[in-house]
Amino acid sequence: MIGSDYVLEAHNIYHTTEVDTGGCFNGGGQSALVLKGVHLTVHSGEVMAILGSKGSGKRALLDVIARRSDGSSRGQVLLNGAPLTKSLFQQRCGYVTHACDFIPGLTVSQTLHYTPTILGGYLKSSKVRQVLADLALSQVSHKKVENLNISEKRRLAIGIQLVRDPVMLLLDEPTQGLDPLSAYLLISILSNSAKKTGCGILLSLEKPRSDVFPFLDRALFLCLGGAVYSGGTRAMLEYFHGIGFPCPQLENPLMYYLCLSTVDRRHVIFNQQISITSWITILPLLLNSTVSVKVVIIRYADIITALTAFSTAITALLRVVFESRHVHCTIGTN
């Protein structure tokens, strides 16, 4: 149990690194700006999802926060107002990736018990039993790690971090490769753990299901490294409705706005010309009123390119609206 409230903040994060351009004759990656002025805030006991397609910058943002990213970064990452250094992150936070190797021959219980922590003796054993129960691993506690299924392995990897009592826990696409029931179980377990222990949780999702929406307190939508929305999930629907993009009934809000703000980096051609009719409509969009945004794609023979350009234009408008409102809110609170 965490004794006090913690706040993780990221302000104006920019990050440049090498990316795979996907070309056969390029010989390798090229330097690109993968994060562009991203902001986020996570409080103790909250679950925040970073949403975006491949190439949107989800993993890059987690790596920047965890101080393990390659390339150059600028901006501020703070924990309770203090700079979050690599040493501080290792002491107070945890990071669950897909590259978690267990020691063959050990059981689930032994794996958790041998995890280095400041606890020992009875307190350590009690903590291990509690984590096993919280992660629904008690029934397989005596099972060898090599005999676990993917869902159990994923929860064990989370348990290795939770037994250390982190104040913030980062997870890189924890539901990837899981069936719907296992994905639902995992997110619900993380939400319950956050509320029970006070640990703040920041996780990335590429294909969020509608049944996980109630477990999320905050959401950050990324597209090509920029934030389309960052804030509470309760305010999300009202926000998008207010700028002219209401979510249709019976639609999954997470997937609907994710699809709306998705651009596949592999299909983006930077020399394309996009004509957005009536630029004056952007002004009331930025200020307060709801408008109907019309986007016209010209001079495209390829339908995929046209759809990409359409998505690019919509995403650009959403990002401009979000960033402008974020600036106005920041100025208003100073």
Side-chain angles (χ1 to χ4, degrees), residues 10 71 82 109 137 170 251 256 268 280-282 293 324 330:
S109 180
L137 290 173
L170 280 58
E251 285 279 357
Y256 179 76
V268 172
I280 198 170
T281 59
I282 297 178
V293 181
S324 65
T330 303

Side-chain angles (χ1 to χ4, degrees), residues 156-170:
L156 178 57
I158 294 171
I160 291 174
Q161 298 299 325
L162 290 182
V163 79
R164 299 173 51 245
D165 271 335
V167 298
M168 291 289 164
L169 181 63
L170 280 58

Side-chain angles (χ1 to χ4, degrees), residues 49-60:
I50 304 174
L51 305 163
S53 62
K54 290 185 184 298
S56 61
K58 302 188 301 297
R59 182 174 298 170

Side-chain angles (χ1 to χ4, degrees), residues 32-299:
L33 186 64
V34 296
L35 292 174
K36 309 168 186 176
V38 177
H39 298 259
L40 67 81
T41 302
V42 189
H43 295 264
S44 293
E46 291 184 336
V47 179
M48 182 173 194
I50 304 174
L51 305 163
S53 62
K54 290 185 184 298
S56 61
K58 302 188 301 297
R59 182 174 298 170
L61 180 57
L62 291 175
D63 285 345
V64 168
I65 294 173
R67 297 314 192 194
R68 58 168 64 184
S69 60
D70 297 323
S72 61
S73 304
R74 59 188 175 93
Q76 286 186 311
V77 180
L78 308 174
L79 182 63
N80 273 11
L84 184 58
T85 62
K86 184 175 182 178
S87 175
L88 181 59
F89 183 89
Q90 293 173 343
Q91 292 173 13
R92 306 310 308 272
C93 305
Y95 191 8
V96 180
T97 67
H98 291 274
C100 186
D101 297 323
F102 307 119
I103 300 177
L106 292 183
T107 66
V108 171
S109 180
Q110 289 171 336
T111 299
L112 294 179
H113 188 79
Y114 293 145
T115 300
T117 68
I118 61 174
L119 301 177
Y122 173 78
L123 291 179
K124 179 68 170 287
S125 299
S126 178
K127 181 65 178 180
V128 168
R129 288 195 299 271
Q130 186 62 60
V131 170
L132 288 171
D134 291 344
L135 296 177
L137 290 173
S138 297
Q139 298 299 320
V140 296
S141 61
H142 299 295
K143 199 173 184 180
K144 297 292 181 64
V145 293
E146 57 265 35
N147 297 326
L148 300 176
N149 60 39
I150 184 173
S151 176
E152 293 164 347
K153 287 182 178 178
R154 199 68 53 80
R155 281 178 277 146
L156 178 57
I158 294 171
I160 291 174
Q161 298 299 325
L162 290 182
V163 79
R164 299 173 51 245
D165 271 335
V167 298
M168 291 289 164
L169 181 63
L170 280 58
L171 303 99
D172 180 20
E173 298 199 19
T175 60
Q176 186 181 67
L178 300 183
D179 60 82
L181 182 59
S182 297
Y184 174 85
L185 173 65
L186 182 61
I187 298 299
S188 65
I189 284 175
L190 288 173
S191 176
N192 290 335
S193 179
K195 302 299 184 291
K196 180 178 179 180
T197 66
C199 175
I201 292 179
L202 181 63
L203 56 89
S204 60
L205 295 173
E206 183 180 348
K207 298 176 182 178
R209 292 170 49 85
S210 59
D211 53 9
V212 307
F213 184 72
F215 298 113
L216 304 179
D217 301 292
R218 293 174 179 267
L220 167 63
F221 286 86
L222 289 178
C223 179
L224 296 180
V228 174
Y229 174 82
S230 181
T233 51
R234 291 187 177 182
M236 182 182 72
L237 297 177
E238 181 180 349
Y239 168 79
F240 280 109
H241 187 279
I243 63 172
F245 296 94
C247 180
Q249 289 186 352
L250 304 182
E251 285 279 357
N252 173 6
L254 298 177
M255 277 303 298
Y256 179 76
Y257 292 119
L258 178 57
C259 291
L260 187 67
S261 60
T262 291
V263 175
D264 191 336
R265 186 186 293 272
R266 295 168 298 180
H267 293 137
V268 172
I269 301 175
F270 295 99
N271 292 327
Q272 294 170 347
Q273 292 184 351
I274 302 174
S275 174
I276 303 179
T277 63
S278 188
W279 281 97
I280 198 170
T281 59
I282 297 178
L283 184 58
L285 187 66
L286 296 179
L287 296 179
N288 50 23
S289 63
T290 300
V291 299
S292 176
V293 181
K294 299 179 180 179
V295 180
V296 177
I297 312 302
I298 60 174
R299 297 177 184 174

